[in-house]
Amino acid sequence: MNFYSLNKQAPEVSFKEAVLKGLASDKGLYFPTSIKPLPNSFFESIGDLSYEEIAFEAIHQFVTAEISNEDLKRIISETLSFDFPVVTLDKNISSLELFHGPTMAFKDVGARFMSRCLRLFHSEQKNDITVLVATSGDTGGAVANGFLGVKGVKVVILYPKDKVSKVQEKQLTTLGQNITALEVDGFFDDCQDMVKKAFLDRQITDHIQLTSANSINVARWLPQMFYFFFAYKQLYKNHKKIVFSVPSGNFGNICAGLMAQKLGLPIHHFIAANNTNQVVTDYLETENYQPKPTVQTISNAMDVGNPSNFIRIQELFKNEFSNLKAHLSSSSFSDSSTVEGIKELYSDYNYIADPHGAIGFLAAKEYQQKYPDTHCVFLETAHPSKFLETVEKAIDTKVELPSQIKAVINKEKKSIKISTYDELKSILLN
Ligand SMILES: *Cc1c(COP(=O)(O)O)cnc(C)c1O
């Protein structure tokens, strides 16, 4: 399968090249040249297939020719070493828990899949690869963990000082080995700007091979389709109109869900659940796409003022606004509503959710007031203990720390403090 740049000013590339480059030379995001729906027989028998078999069918067409079936099966099996349970809260609302991986956020699957692709591709070439990534919290930990100890790959993570949670900071600063954490005196947007600048800096790119592990990378984006298939497998026998409410920031996850639908997965509708960074909510109302500066919220992984993957969603719907609107709704919630959502989930369902999942829940409930005959699944994208202070305060109860978190919380933090681009550059070149 080839991939083209959505800016249409760069040549088509193979899956391998798209993964190694991250972004096309014209700065466009890569998109597959064709999307072939899966056969009906697959959906009819999905209840009898294992997660690994389902994942193989879902992603096979996009990676074939570059990755042998045998390698793909191994990569999938190493990636999916934990569960993806649907927890039913009442007869028409469920939570899809995506936090059972090593760093307890849904980004583990994409990061683990991508690191294994890079390891495979690296073994076919000589040069080391440097993965450069900016994080607002969860990406850093998932990428650090997914790439830890991978030969020939160095990882450099930029995160904004004092703006990620304690647990998130520990997850990305305590691993060592091939992982370097840079603590940037600034906001997430400053980290992202430095990363973008490095990708355009010939003095760097002439010397080292850089790639990105943000959701713009196809190897991180596409495996996120798996979740929607896995939830469908668990729900389809009892529910007809399945709707997903996806807490969204950079819109990679929901875009993967829309891809799954394009492959034929019978999903009734999608809801993009947002915090006050609501450029897409506004767009669906006004047809006017207006990026805004980022606003800081308690659901920090969704603090994105200009979601990178939205352009892929536009492409999926051939830029037809009415078609997009028929498949996708969006609503936005303030921090105080988010806290109310966490409280309500706890008091009404005895369910402890993190702030992102709580927004997914609120958006699902709002949708169901209009469409009560649907079954809404909100994605619980992170474990509540990753946002311990917010959650414990909201429910006035202690949250039990899972073993994955206990394992890092007392480890020693190791980071390099930087405040300028030149400091980043000298670290990369040494
Ligand atoms: C990254 C993240 C999101 C947003 O996902 P996108 O793919 O960027 O839309 C939501 N919740 C959590 C917990 C995350 O880490």
Side-chain angles (χ1 to χ4, degrees):
M1 168 77 65
N2 275 355
F3 290 78
Y4 62 96
S5 162
L6 290 177
N7 284 351
K8 313 223 163 79
Q9 306 292 322
E12 277 182 16
V13 297
S14 64
F15 176 73
K16 173 176 171 179
E17 216 176 316
V19 175
L20 290 173
K21 283 194 143 106
L23 207 57
S25 54
D26 62 359
K27 305 297 146 213
L29 270 66
Y30 283 118
F31 198 85
T33 49
S34 78
I35 301 169
K36 198 166 126 240
L38 299 169
N40 283 340
S41 56
F42 167 71
F43 295 106
E44 282 156 13
S45 63
I46 198 165
D48 304 324
L49 301 178
S50 69
Y51 285 160
E52 293 180 20
E53 288 166 329
I54 293 169
F56 182 87
E57 291 303 321
I59 207 158
H60 179 253
Q61 66 176 298
F62 301 105
V63 307
T64 176
E66 315 281 347
I67 302 183
S68 69
N69 286 355
E70 194 186 317
D71 282 331
L72 181 59
K73 282 181 186 158
R74 180 183 46 74
I75 290 172
I76 287 173
S77 136
E78 288 174 12
T79 300
L80 302 177
S81 55
F82 42 89
D83 199 13
F84 306 86
V86 171
V87 176
T88 296
L89 301 185
D90 76 17
K91 71 176 192 322
N92 54 20
I93 198 147
S94 300
S95 162
L96 169 61
E97 294 187 345
L98 301 179
F99 59 67
H100 294 276
T103 72
M104 314 209 83
F106 80 88
K107 295 185 173 74
D108 279 328
V109 164
R112 288 161 73 82
F113 188 89
M114 178 179 166
S115 69
R116 284 157 179 86
C117 290
L118 270 192
R119 183 166 67 199
L120 179 73
F121 297 151
H122 175 261
S123 65
E124 296 162 3
Q125 61 169 41
K126 281 193 239 71
N127 300 335
D128 278 3
I129 300 167
T130 300
V131 174
L132 183 62
V133 59
T135 183
S136 60
D138 282 335
T139 299
V143 168
N145 195 285
F147 284 79
L148 182 67
V150 175
K151 271 211 200 82
V153 180
K154 288 186 203 145
V155 177
V156 178
I157 300 166
L158 285 76
Y159 74 98
K161 179 177 158 62
D162 299 332
K163 298 197 183 56
V164 304
S165 80
K166 264 263 116 32
V167 171
Q168 288 174 329
E169 182 172 45
K170 289 284 182 167
Q171 286 180 327
L172 58 96
T173 57
T174 58
L175 291 169
Q177 297 187 45
N178 56 331
I179 315 292
T180 304
L182 304 181
E183 188 175 353
V184 177
D185 190 10
F187 291 89
F188 170 65
D189 288 334
D190 300 312
C191 301
Q192 188 132 33
D193 287 346
M194 285 192 196
V195 167
K196 283 187 184 152
K197 203 162 165 185
F199 276 95
L200 298 174
D201 189 336
R202 291 285 297 272
Q203 287 173 349
I204 294 175
T205 55
D206 283 351
H207 289 98
I208 58 177
Q209 180 164 8
L210 277 187
T211 190
S212 116
N214 287 89
S215 55
I216 53 170
N217 197 301
V218 293
R220 248 202 69 195
W221 167 51
L222 290 171
Q224 296 175 2
M225 291 189 296
F226 301 162
Y227 312 135
F228 301 88
F229 286 92
F230 296 169
Y232 181 79
K233 169 186 155 92
Q234 295 173 70
L235 287 166
Y236 80 111
K237 288 198 174 123
N238 297 321
H239 301 285
K240 290 291 162 273
K241 292 184 177 172
I242 297 173
V243 173
F244 284 102
S245 174
V246 187
S248 296
N250 241 334
F251 280 67
N253 206 4
I254 194 166
C255 183
L258 290 159
M259 276 290 278
Q261 187 183 45
K262 195 97 180 167
L263 291 178
L265 189 68
I267 299 169
H268 183 68
H269 195 73
F270 282 90
I271 308 164
N274 290 120
N275 60 29
T276 42
N277 294 282
Q278 59 185 64
V279 46
V280 173
T281 308
D282 292 346
Y283 170 69
L284 289 175
E285 231 158 70
T286 62
E287 211 179 331
N288 181 16
Y289 189 83
Q290 202 57 264
K292 300 252 167 66
T294 304
V295 181
Q296 214 179 328
T297 74
I298 56 171
S299 46
N300 66 17
M302 310 200 296
D303 293 351
V304 181
N306 186 12
S308 324
N309 285 289
F310 196 65
I311 186 163
R312 282 186 169 137
I313 295 180
Q314 301 273 44
E315 185 77 1
L316 269 172
F317 291 96
K318 304 202 165 64
N319 294 299
E320 290 165 13
F321 184 72
S322 57
N323 191 11
L324 171 64
K325 225 178 133 137
H327 289 83
L328 177 71
S329 310
S330 171
S331 40
S332 301
F333 298 89
S334 67
D335 277 356
S336 58
S337 304
T338 307
V339 170
E340 289 309 312
I342 297 174
K343 283 186 180 160
E344 185 180 337
L345 276 161
Y346 189 58
S347 62
D348 292 6
Y349 305 103
N350 198 25
Y351 191 77
I352 304 180
D354 95 294
H356 306 79
I359 289 179
F361 165 73
L362 291 169
K365 259 196 13 182
E366 191 178 282
Y367 179 83
Q368 270 183 338
Q369 286 177 347
K370 264 200 192 156
Y371 306 100
D373 64 332
T374 55
H375 188 85
C376 278
V377 184
F378 68 89
L379 273 53
E380 176 46 325
T381 45
H383 190 277
S385 65
K386 293 195 83 171
F387 303 89
L388 202 59
E389 284 151 41
T390 305
V391 174
E392 288 187 338
K393 201 165 140 217
I395 62 173
D396 197 20
T397 303
K398 281 260 163 260
V399 175
E400 176 86 27
L401 290 187
S403 58
Q404 291 100 314
I405 306 282
K406 278 191 192 144
V408 296
I409 202 81
N410 292 318
K411 280 201 190 157
E412 193 194 346
K413 163 182 157 185
K414 285 206 179 102
S415 68
I416 303 173
K417 294 198 167 79
I418 67 166
S419 49
T420 64
Y421 175 71
D422 286 337
E423 290 170 280
L424 169 65
K425 187 163 171 173
S426 81
I427 289 166
L428 287 174
L429 290 174
N430 285 314

